[in-house]
Amino acid sequence: MEPASKSWSPERYRRDAGFISRLGEPVLELLAPRAGERILDLGCGDGALMEKIAARGCAVVGVDASPEMVAAARRRGLDARLARAEMLAFSREFDAAFSNAALHWMAGRPAAGRPLTVAPVLDGVFRALRPGGRFAGELGGEGNVAAVYDALAAALRRFDPAAPHPASGLYFPSAEAFRAALEDAGFAVERCELFPRPTPLPQGILAWYEVFAAEWLARIPAAARAADYAELEDRLRPRLYQPKHGWWADYVRLRFLARRPL
Ligand code: BEZ
């Protein structure tokens, strides 16, 4: 059984995962927004990066499937809209599209047992762009946070041997697979690169699980939680903790730049 669908707390996200938008700055540079452009931010979250694009003189529209995040972005005065990424209804109206650390949450399966795909999302972004428009972004790539999720999977299986792997609904493609997905949607791909990005977690690994995997942690019986959390940390410490630097996570990024042909 899958856990209840994910809900986001903008406050907790800002406090314990603010590094996501800070580390998204190079993706903004890849987008290179120019004053006067109309830009779509796919999976805009609380609007932290939308705000930076708007500050460069662009008109930015953000879409996100989380009502809490859309509300947080609107509190910043931004044009954020509640929408599912696979159902975008824009047509040839954006000069560019941008997405940071969001596409991996947007995949679906065409039928049970079939591989995860973001094809409907990429089709919608393609339609939303004017001919010649660019799509710059970053998502988790093959192997992303594998140690973090494998340790969680082991913790969950102590209570439910049939528990699904907690990353089984997340889309972490190889560079080759994602390039092919972009091309299938009609894009000309200019860059598509996979690279490791070990990411410090100043709030610790448990705070990371609380932000990104709370719905899975909730499956651990309350009475066993303290012991189980300690075991999770023990399992990960040899790989993801250094006494001098603290906790970090084994992020792998897939960064891309593609264009709708003229
Ligand atoms: C990511 O940004 O790569 C990510 C964050 C949380 C869970 C899964 C992936």
Side-chain angles (χ1 to χ4, degrees):
M1 196 180 67
E2 297 290 329
S5 74
K6 183 149 191 56
S7 71
W8 295 95
S9 154
E11 295 70 32
R12 174 145 226 162
Y13 189 87
R14 194 168 312 130
R15 192 187 67 210
D16 294 336
F19 63 87
I20 301 250
S21 45
R22 277 198 303 283
L23 295 173
E25 296 270 351
V27 194
L28 266 190
E29 296 318 310
L30 184 62
L31 173 72
R34 295 185 287 269
E37 284 189 319
R38 183 167 169 79
I39 297 195
L40 173 66
D41 184 345
L42 181 71
C44 64
D46 67 0
L49 290 172
M50 273 180 91
E51 209 163 48
K52 299 204 170 203
I53 298 171
R56 299 203 192 181
C58 302
V60 202
V61 176
V63 294
D64 205 286
S66 158
E68 296 84 4
M69 288 300 205
V70 166
R74 286 187 181 161
R75 283 197 291 276
R76 296 179 193 251
L78 297 164
D79 180 358
R81 305 180 190 178
L82 187 63
R84 295 194 58 84
E86 68 277 22
M87 298 176 73
L88 296 180
F90 304 106
S91 178
R92 294 176 169 239
E93 61 184 272
F94 291 99
D95 299 296
F98 169 80
S99 184
N100 181 53
L103 269 159
H104 43 253
W105 299 107
M106 297 176 181
R109 293 183 201 279
R114 299 289 307 279
L116 285 170
T117 174
V118 287
V121 180
L122 299 182
D123 289 344
V125 175
F126 186 88
R127 281 194 305 272
L129 288 170
R130 298 201 171 102
R134 61 203 188 280
F135 183 21
E138 193 172 286
L139 66 152
E142 191 173 33
N144 192 36
V145 281
V148 172
Y149 272 115
D150 286 349
L152 180 59
L156 294 169
R157 285 183 185 150
R158 276 197 291 279
F159 301 100
D160 175 6
H165 192 285
S168 57
L170 292 170
Y171 176 69
F172 296 142
S174 65
E176 294 72 25
F178 194 63
R179 173 182 284 272
L182 286 165
E183 288 173 350
D184 285 349
F187 286 101
V189 180
E190 297 180 8
R191 283 179 60 174
C192 187
E193 295 144 13
L194 191 73
F195 58 96
R197 193 202 62 199
T199 301
L201 302 177
Q203 320 290 342
I205 191 70
L206 292 178
W208 189 97
Y209 284 122
E210 294 285 357
V211 176
F212 294 112
E215 69 280 21
W216 293 99
L217 293 181
R219 296 165 65 115
I220 299 172
R225 221 163 268 165
D228 217 57
Y229 285 7
E231 198 168 328
L232 252 179
E233 287 195 315
D234 288 347
R235 189 181 285 265
L236 284 172
R237 198 170 280 111
R239 280 205 59 189
L240 300 184
Y241 182 81
Q242 287 169 346
K244 252 172 98 176
H245 303 292
W247 286 98
W248 60 279
D250 53 338
Y251 277 74
V252 177
R253 309 323 279 165
L254 181 46
R255 190 175 292 168
F256 63 91
L257 177 63
R259 202 170 287 275
R260 176 174 177 159
L262 286 169

